[in-house]
Amino acid sequence: DTAVSQTPKYLVTQMGNDKSIKCEQNLGHDTMYWYKQDSKKFLKIMFSYNNKELIINETVPNRFSPKSPDKAHLNLHINSLELGDSAVYFCASSQGRAPWETQYFGPGTRLLVL
Amino acid sequence: AQSVTQLGSHVSVSEGALVLLRCNYSSSVPPYLFWYVQYPNQGLQLLLKYTSAATLVKGINGFEAEFKKSETSFHLTKPSAHMSDAAEYFCAVSEQASGGSYIPTFGRGTSLIVHP
């Protein structure tokens, strides 16, 4: 059973389109995250939700909008896709929001914007 | 603000040789430090973490790391490399943000190459 799952695994789309990535965790965790990993493997946090409440929002363009319908799901919607949005997007979860919490990552969604 | 610096974007070792991956942090308060591993086309998984208990931390797959406050370091070691250790390794620190949340901040990663 996959602990943190993401769909789709691959996403190829044209500039200007709108797309969504879905994430689900079955670990019973309270906190979920979205990360962006660029072509040089640099990993940067975008958003974090704790019990459906947004707690971290890191200087991400307004075209990116996270939504958490319940604490097991955190989706990412991207409007007006740009070439620079091409990256691997990782969802992660942790038991809580304490600084010592281990993060559990999904397998990633590879987004290519043409 | 806290940050981590990983020295060496690539480290190459022979199978059976010692693995040493370097991580230095900058912090004015005791940090929480992590090492994660990313195998090709996969997400990250935790190797080990330092949470102010023992300074020598043992993790999975024979890896360990030593927290040295005087050197602000948290280097990752393994006595004998295996081919299956070839992966990207990330050092990370929890950084406190406004509102009381903690932001995980990752280093730029070190790619470990293991030669037969």
Side-chain angles (χ1 to χ4, degrees):
Chain A
D1 287 340
T2 305
V4 182
S5 59
Q6 297 179 225
T7 53
K9 191 168 183 179
Y10 299 96
L11 192 50
V12 181
T13 188
Q14 300 286 331
M15 260 195 326
N17 284 351
D18 303 338
K19 290 293 178 186
S20 291
I21 307 172
K22 295 187 176 182
C23 177
E24 176 181 2
Q25 54 96 2
N26 63 7
L27 297 167
H29 288 170
D30 289 338
T31 310
M32 295 185 73
Y33 311 79
W34 276 112
Y35 287 89
K36 179 180 180 181
Q37 186 175 48
D38 64 22
S39 58
K40 296 185 178 177
K41 302 275 187 176
F42 181 53
L43 193 68
K44 184 163 171 56
I45 191 166
M46 301 171 69
F47 302 102
S48 178
Y49 273 74
N50 186 67
N51 277 321
K52 302 196 296 174
E53 177 193 354
L54 180 66
I55 57 170
I56 295 173
N57 185 344
E58 282 289 289
T59 57
V60 177
N62 290 339
R63 298 181 295 104
F64 290 80
S65 52
K67 279 205 172 83
S68 182
D70 55 62
K71 73 174 192 177
H73 295 84
L74 180 61
N75 304 323
L76 183 65
H77 187 76
I78 316 171
N79 290 324
S80 304
L81 277 155
E82 300 178 357
L83 294 177
D85 297 333
S86 295
V88 182
Y89 292 84
F90 286 101
C91 177
S93 72
S94 62
Q95 182 65 57
R97 52 194 289 187
W100 55 81
E101 300 282 1
T102 298
Q103 305 227 345
Y104 295 81
F105 285 78
T109 295
R110 284 143 188 86
L111 171 65
L112 178 60
V113 183
L114 302 174
Chain B
Q2 303 185 52
S3 68
V4 289
T5 302
Q6 291 183 242
L7 295 175
S9 58
H10 294 83
V11 169
S12 182
V13 300
S14 298
E15 192 173 20
L18 171 72
V19 175
L20 171 60
L21 304 182
R22 299 177 188 273
C23 174
N24 288 87
Y25 68 92
S26 62
S27 171
S28 58
V29 298
Y32 295 97
L33 294 159
F34 305 78
W35 275 101
Y36 284 86
V37 61
Q38 184 180 26
Y39 298 104
N41 298 315
Q42 294 186 28
L44 282 71
Q45 64 182 86
L46 182 74
L47 275 177
L48 48 82
K49 63 181 175 182
Y50 169 74
T51 57
S52 74
T55 56
L56 182 63
V57 183
K58 294 188 184 298
I60 62 171
N61 301 339
F63 284 94
E64 62 182 37
E66 187 172 8
F67 173 70
K68 290 188 177 180
K69 185 177 178 181
S70 60
E71 298 177 9
T72 60
S73 68
F74 190 55
H75 301 332
L76 182 71
T77 60
K78 181 173 180 177
S80 177
H82 194 271
M83 296 295 290
S84 60
D85 294 327
E88 193 82 19
Y89 290 80
F90 293 91
C91 185
V93 66
S94 285
E95 178 178 5
Q96 189 165 20
S98 58
S101 297
Y102 288 88
I103 298 177
T105 302
F106 286 80
R108 291 239 167 215
T110 298
S111 179
L112 178 63
I113 302 159
V114 183
H115 297 288

